[in-house]
Amino acid sequence: MRKMFRRKLVLAGVIVLAIVTVMAIIAPLVSVYDPMALNILDRLLPPSAVHWFGTDEFGRDIFTRVIYGGRYSLVIGASVVVISVLGGTLFGLLAGFFRRLDGPIMRVVDAMMSFPDILLAIALVAVLGASMTNVVLALSIVYVPRVARVVRSSTLVVRELLFIEAARALGVSTWRILSVHVLKNITSPILVQGTFIFSYAVLAEAGLSFLGVGVPPDIPTWGSMVSSGQSYADQAFWMVLFPGLAIVLSALSLQMVGDGLRDMLDPKLRKTL
């Protein structure tokens, strides 16, 4: 970890991600405003000592909404990571270890990956309906194939190693081989892929909310804030600027942390740190 943190970009990514996460957790302690409280008399106020990020078209404090929006955006991203990693790991293990299942599973995976991520997510949300739960489900379905391909390729390598053959010769059950011997040896690429999916999910949720097919407008996510602020961008640019910066900084920090994890966990790349 010390070697990884010697890289300034990785350290900066960890610091930014930690600040965003802590601010989202302690949001009620940081701001005295209610993120949903309307105050028409204070609408479209520029950034000041009273309202650090200004106010929106309903007089709501944008700084408060940004830090509360971090809760929803990060929860959506984390939920997508958990579901997609679990599903992708299961399908990837089955496809990589059992030759008979490889063809059918990977054809479905290839078919899903043939669609652009955002278009597939829009189609799924349109079918399921716009809600926070359905956005998580739709994005999880979109990113399961990514994890499945990574897990399958790693499993194909591990299953041919000598210790797997030794375990089979000793009569170890197949499911124990998968859970104890194979899964433990492919944890590194799964962790790295999970960090990248986290950033993809944050961006995808923002894109869906911006297009009006994601989280309902009454939930203050970063994407919905950018979407509502675009109509006032010419007279109140801060409505788009600050939630947009939150999206960019969060996604960029997650990418930098993912790069650091990849370099640390890969023995070939670790030598260059």
Side-chain angles (χ1 to χ4, degrees):
M1 294 296 290
R2 282 198 301 268
K3 288 183 178 181
M4 186 178 75
F5 289 148
R6 286 175 187 169
R7 299 176 59 184
K8 294 182 179 179
L9 284 178
V10 177
L11 181 59
V14 172
I15 292 174
V16 171
L17 186 59
I19 291 174
V20 172
T21 304
V22 171
M23 291 288 285
I25 293 174
I26 64 172
L29 303 178
V30 175
S31 177
V32 297
Y33 297 101
D34 185 343
M36 303 303 296
L38 307 182
N39 188 359
I40 303 300
L41 296 178
D42 291 338
R43 67 188 301 269
L44 300 180
L45 293 179
S48 63
V50 179
H51 301 285
W52 294 352
F53 291 176
T55 60
D56 62 8
E57 72 274 24
F58 296 113
R60 297 173 296 191
D61 184 69
I62 294 179
F63 173 74
T64 302
R65 289 177 61 79
V66 166
I67 59 177
Y68 272 91
R71 286 184 165 188
Y72 295 105
S73 296
L74 294 178
V75 165
I76 290 173
S79 302
V80 170
V81 169
V82 172
I83 297 174
S84 60
V85 165
L86 290 176
T89 300
L90 175 61
F91 290 121
L93 283 173
L94 294 176
F97 199 81
F98 300 102
R99 301 180 189 274
R100 292 176 298 177
L101 299 177
D102 190 14
I105 292 177
M106 295 314 298
R107 295 299 74 78
V108 175
V109 168
D110 292 339
M112 293 179 65
M113 293 191 69
S114 65
F115 295 95
D117 293 346
I118 191 66
L119 290 182
L120 183 57
I122 290 173
L124 291 172
V125 173
V127 172
L128 298 173
S131 69
M132 186 171 172
T133 302
N134 291 339
V135 167
V136 171
L137 182 59
L139 293 178
S140 300
I141 294 173
V142 168
Y143 294 121
V144 160
R146 289 177 176 266
V147 181
R149 288 190 67 87
V150 172
V151 173
R152 171 186 174 270
S153 61
S154 300
T155 303
L156 288 174
V157 175
V158 173
R159 78 176 185 184
E160 304 299 333
L161 298 179
L162 291 177
F163 67 88
I164 299 295
E165 296 295 331
R168 286 172 171 167
L170 292 173
V172 179
S173 66
T174 301
W175 296 110
R176 182 169 178 80
I177 292 175
L178 282 173
S179 60
V180 176
H181 300 289
V182 177
L183 188 57
K184 284 186 177 180
N185 284 278
I186 62 173
T187 303
S188 298
I190 294 175
L191 289 176
V192 174
Q193 191 67 20
T195 59
F196 290 140
I197 288 177
F198 203 144
S199 64
Y200 298 155
V202 171
L203 290 173
E205 181 277 323
L208 291 175
S209 298
F210 181 79
L211 294 173
V213 295
V215 177
D218 58 318
I219 299 178
T221 64
W222 294 331
S224 62
M225 293 177 66
V226 173
S227 177
S228 63
Q230 64 175 332
S231 302
Y232 300 89
D234 57 339
Q235 55 181 319
F237 65 90
W238 52 87
M239 290 182 60
V240 177
L241 175 63
F242 293 110
L245 282 176
I247 295 171
V248 171
L249 291 176
S250 300
L252 187 60
S253 63
L254 285 165
Q255 291 281 352
M256 290 189 293
V257 172
D259 287 338
L261 280 175
R262 180 195 60 195
D263 296 345
M264 183 187 72
L265 297 174
D266 190 324
K268 296 180 181 178
L269 297 175
R270 187 167 50 201
K271 295 179 182 179
T272 63
L273 293 178

